[in-house]
Amino acid sequence: MNLKERKRIENILTRFRLVAFLFVFFMVPLNISMSRQMEALLLNRMFVFITYYLISVGIGFLLFKNIKNEKMFDLAIGISTVFDFIAIPWAATVILPVCDLPIEVVYIIVQMTMLIRYRTNFYSLIGNALVLLNIWLYELTIGASFYWRFWSIRGLFWTIIFGFNLIIFWKLLKNYDELLEQKELENITIEDSKRSIDNLIHINKISASLNESLSQNEIIKILLSNVSKMVNSEDCAVLLYSKKETDGYLYNYRKFKESSSNNREIIKYEIINIGDEIKKIKSMKDYKHVIGAHQPFYMADLVNIYHMNAVVLNSERKWLYMFKIMCSLKEGGFLLIATDTQFRSETGQMISLLVGQAGTSLSTAVLYKSVYKKANTDPLTGAKTRRFLKAFLRKEIERSQRHNKHFCILFFDIDNFKSFNDTYGHNIGDEVLKLIYRITKMTIRKIDLVARYGGEEFVVVLPETEFKNAFITAERIRKNIEKCPIKDILDVDRNVTVSIGIAEYGVDGFSEEELINKADWGMYQAKSKGKNQVCSFRDYKIEYEQSQSMEDINTEQEDSKL
């Protein structure tokens, strides 16, 4: 019986006590016909009865309504019972002489209290030895002189009561083990329920973290770190693969934890040749059952019988768990966990929920990455867009300010590109733009950025590069483009050249617009000096300032006319 039902029955008992109290308080004074000495003694006993009984009723009303713990509830019942068995004998000494009632009335009250609690919870009655002790004390002391007197009503009453209580006592002893087992089962059920609720709350928090992330690397790291804690093993990994390819990307959590790299924010992957190992696993007879029921594969079978190496994280472990990750229609993967012991089915269900959520999050991340790449990539050349360039420059300026470093940008334009387009058409011009981007990309470092600024104009950002090295890089780009046999590749009668301008952050400018304008001015000077050369802004700083002054004067004159 649950706590709510027990509280309801104890509430009935409390009201029963209150009725008994009112009966004594109002009925006894109406029947008093004795000497003043006996009357004073009677009133003293009534005062004791009222005090103890009010405490018992108060406990019933106040404690039972507010207590939520079952053990505390049993303790409150015990305290209330103590006051009951003190108050009832005092009530008997008041009621019996005055109202001329038999002693059996008092016992019926005690027996009724026991029977109601007997119906509610066996174990609480056994635990409260005081209740049994007082009941048997009443029965043995009061009914001893009446046992076996079947010819009298009192004898018959006490004999029946004695037999009835013996049956109850025997039933309690007989079911004692069953009651303890039932109580233990209730505790286990409560603990399992609490653990399940805690697990669901934990999964909900992890799912929220997975949903918030749009980075594939971050999603995999969240998944592996939480799974590692659940199974108490760092031998876990995520294997992603394309259904058309034999290569897989393995994100190994143990290697990530053991990495001596300072950058622990990124969990690196290694490209492995999975060959036909995935097909072998899927062709096993019990594959669907093992995966569906969260059961492990026996590691020795995978290594010795099926000769697998790629998917086996640690061959020294005994079991290998595999949870299928559905990323998209074209890509899939597995969560791999190597352990020495099998974990509970409940843990498997939790991991399966996380893997399902991770698969959804990975699909979202892949879609976001694809859309983000398309939005920030020039569809013709593959270079970054102008919008991406400005965002990249802002971040680079913040990083340079934080670490007190310089960087340079190159602004270049294809020489005579308009006449090239007019002569050979825009299709050939588009092919030239693609070749210029590829040559530039192959010439610079991986950390450098190439963006198409507009038309035939390109911008190259060189992080952590001072002017001297930037000039060398610009010359290398210019020469590589000049040497490229475009006329042979595209079947035209001439090659193309570029004019390049250079600006350095911290020397020539401090904002993205200022740097681009000054690198553009350097490129303009290269054009005016004969094209196919590299010019820096700093070499033509005076001309730039004079040009700006002339523009300001012209602007003022136009404003005055208006």
Side-chain angles (χ1 to χ4, degrees):
M1 187 175 292
N2 57 30
L3 187 60
K4 185 178 180 180
E5 184 65 18
R6 291 183 63 194
K7 282 188 175 183
R8 187 184 69 81
I9 294 176
E10 286 298 331
N11 192 31
I12 294 173
L13 275 175
T14 303
R15 296 178 188 279
F16 172 75
R17 293 190 191 98
L18 186 60
V19 171
F21 166 74
L22 294 175
F23 174 78
V24 174
F25 189 79
F26 289 105
M27 295 299 295
V28 170
L30 296 176
N31 291 278
I32 293 179
S33 59
M34 58 185 68
S35 64
R36 290 189 175 276
Q37 185 177 1
M38 288 296 295
E39 185 178 343
L41 181 61
L42 188 63
L43 290 175
N44 287 335
R45 290 181 177 180
M46 278 192 66
F47 177 75
V48 174
F49 163 73
I50 290 169
T51 302
Y52 282 100
Y53 220 59
L54 281 179
I55 292 174
S56 178
V57 173
I59 291 173
F61 276 117
L62 298 177
L63 295 183
F64 294 154
K65 288 185 178 181
N66 299 323
I67 291 177
K68 297 181 180 180
N69 187 299
E70 192 168 353
K71 291 182 179 179
M72 293 300 296
F73 187 79
D74 288 337
L75 179 62
I77 288 177
I79 296 172
S80 176
T81 305
V82 172
F83 289 104
D84 279 347
F85 285 111
I86 294 174
I88 289 172
W90 283 96
T93 61
V94 174
I95 296 170
L96 298 181
V98 175
C99 300
D100 195 21
L101 296 174
I103 192 69
E104 284 78 8
V105 173
V106 178
Y107 188 77
I108 287 172
I109 295 173
V110 178
Q111 188 74 41
M112 188 179 297
T113 304
M114 190 207 81
L115 286 177
I116 291 176
R117 284 199 178 132
Y118 168 79
R119 288 175 58 200
T120 60
N121 192 304
F122 285 107
Y123 187 68
S124 65
L125 184 61
I126 294 175
N128 189 358
L130 188 62
V131 176
L132 287 176
L133 178 63
N134 278 277
I135 287 174
W136 284 97
L137 182 63
Y138 276 120
E139 186 163 334
L140 292 174
T141 54
I142 299 173
S145 57
F146 299 106
Y147 291 148
W148 320 119
R149 296 185 182 182
F150 300 107
W151 57 87
S152 66
I153 295 177
R154 280 191 166 183
L156 186 61
F157 171 81
W158 286 107
T159 304
I160 292 173
I161 290 295
F162 182 76
F164 179 72
N165 283 329
L166 278 179
I167 292 171
I168 292 177
F169 188 67
W170 171 249
K171 190 174 181 180
L172 289 173
L173 292 178
K174 186 178 178 181
N175 297 331
Y176 181 73
D177 292 337
E178 182 181 342
L179 293 171
L180 289 179
E181 185 177 348
Q182 181 182 358
K183 190 70 176 179
E184 185 177 354
L185 184 61
E186 289 177 1
N187 292 334
I188 293 173
T189 304
I190 292 172
E191 290 177 2
D192 288 343
S193 299
K194 289 180 178 178
R195 186 167 57 251
S196 298
I197 293 171
D198 292 340
N199 290 339
L200 288 174
I201 293 172
H202 184 57
I203 288 177
N204 188 44
K205 290 180 180 179
I206 299 172
S207 298
S209 300
L210 291 171
N211 287 331
E212 289 174 0
S213 179
L214 291 173
S215 166
Q216 178 175 301
N217 196 282
E218 184 67 21
I219 291 169
I220 292 174
K221 188 170 69 172
I222 291 172
L223 175 64
L224 290 178
S225 61
N226 285 281
V227 168
S228 175
K229 292 176 183 177
M230 288 181 187
V231 301
N232 194 25
S233 173
E234 292 183 354
D235 286 319
C236 52
V238 168
L239 173 64
L240 298 180
Y241 61 90
S242 174
K243 293 182 179 179
K244 293 183 179 180
E245 297 178 0
T246 57
D247 288 338
Y249 302 90
L250 186 69
Y251 296 81
N252 194 313
Y253 187 69
R254 177 175 286 280
K255 290 184 179 180
F256 167 69
K257 294 286 287 184
E258 294 176 352
S259 174
S260 58
S261 174
N262 292 326
N263 185 11
R264 295 181 60 93
E265 296 299 321
I266 298 175
I267 177 169
K268 296 181 179 179
Y269 64 85
E270 54 181 319
I271 300 175
I272 59 173
N273 186 2
I274 56 178
D276 59 350
E277 290 191 12
I278 301 298
K279 292 181 180 179
K280 284 182 181 179
I281 292 173
K282 291 183 177 180
S283 64
M284 293 180 184
K285 292 182 180 179
D286 55 349
Y287 165 74
K288 291 185 177 179
H289 170 72
V290 170
I291 297 295
H294 319 305
Q295 297 297 317
F297 293 98
Y298 190 53
M299 189 73 77
D301 290 346
L302 296 178
V303 175
N304 300 325
I305 298 176
Y306 295 98
H307 306 291
M308 294 184 182
N309 295 314
V311 300
V312 177
L313 298 178
N314 187 349
S315 58
E316 295 180 359
R317 297 281 192 173
K318 189 175 182 180
W319 305 102
L320 179 69
Y321 284 87
M322 300 184 70
F323 293 85
K324 195 171 183 180
I325 301 175
M326 295 299 295
C327 299
S328 65
L329 294 175
K330 295 182 179 179
E331 296 181 350
F334 285 99
L335 170 66
L336 308 173
I337 306 172
T339 62
D340 288 325
T341 58
Q342 296 188 43
F343 45 72
R344 299 171 57 185
S345 60
E346 182 183 356
T347 305
Q349 292 172 1
M350 288 177 58
I351 294 174
S352 181
L353 288 174
L354 286 181
V355 167
Q357 183 61 54
T360 304
S361 299
L362 284 172
S363 298
T364 305
V366 170
L367 180 61
Y368 173 80
K369 185 178 180 180
S370 175
V371 172
Y372 182 80
K373 185 177 181 180
K374 288 180 180 179
N376 292 285
T377 303
D378 177 52
L380 176 63
T381 62
K384 294 300 181 182
T385 61
R386 185 170 178 173
R387 181 177 60 182
F388 185 87
L389 168 67
K390 291 191 174 183
F392 185 85
L393 280 174
R394 282 194 294 270
K395 291 181 180 178
E396 193 61 32
I397 288 171
E398 291 176 1
R399 195 168 69 90
S400 298
Q401 289 174 345
R402 188 165 57 251
H403 299 289
N404 193 25
K405 291 185 177 181
H406 289 203
F407 71 91
C408 291
I409 68 169
L410 312 179
F411 195 109
F412 67 88
D413 177 274
I414 302 175
D415 298 329
N416 305 314
F417 188 70
K418 184 178 183 302
S419 64
F420 196 95
N421 264 343
D422 293 341
T423 304
Y424 301 106
H426 290 282
N427 290 335
I428 297 297
D430 290 345
E431 293 300 320
V432 170
L433 291 173
K434 293 178 185 177
L435 284 171
I436 295 297
Y437 168 70
R438 290 173 195 163
I439 295 168
T440 306
K441 189 68 177 175
M442 288 187 295
T443 305
I444 61 177
R445 303 168 298 177
K446 288 184 178 180
I447 64 171
D448 300 333
L449 174 75
V450 185
R452 187 181 178 190
Y453 197 73
E456 68 273 21
E457 297 173 336
F458 290 85
V459 174
V460 179
V461 183
L462 306 173
E464 298 186 17
T465 304
E466 295 185 353
F467 175 78
K468 181 180 178 181
N469 292 327
F471 189 88
I472 295 171
T473 303
E475 275 293 335
R476 192 181 298 125
I477 293 172
R478 185 191 66 78
K479 289 179 181 178
N480 288 343
I481 292 173
E482 183 182 18
K483 292 177 182 178
C484 179
I486 291 178
K487 63 180 182 179
D488 297 330
I489 296 172
L490 301 178
D491 194 21
V492 295
D493 63 355
R494 53 179 158 165
N495 289 331
V496 296
T497 59
V498 294
S499 298
I500 305 176
I502 305 175
E504 183 180 6
Y505 171 78
V507 177
D508 301 322
F510 294 91
S511 67
E512 64 268 17
E513 290 293 338
E514 190 178 8
L515 287 170
I516 290 173
N517 289 336
K518 292 182 177 179
D520 184 27
W521 176 262
M523 185 268 294
Y524 173 76
Q525 295 301 319
K527 292 272 190 184
S528 63
K529 298 298 181 183
K531 302 178 182 178
N532 191 23
Q533 57 185 287
V534 179
C535 292
S536 66
F537 166 78
R538 64 185 61 181
D539 294 333
Y540 301 94
K541 186 175 181 181
I542 297 175
E543 289 87 342
Y544 177 80
E545 291 174 352
Q546 291 174 352
S547 174
Q548 291 297 110
S549 299
M550 289 299 296
E551 287 183 5
D552 293 340
I553 292 170
N554 292 333
T555 302
E556 289 177 0
Q557 289 176 354
E558 290 178 0
D559 292 340
S560 63
K561 290 179 181 180
L562 295 173

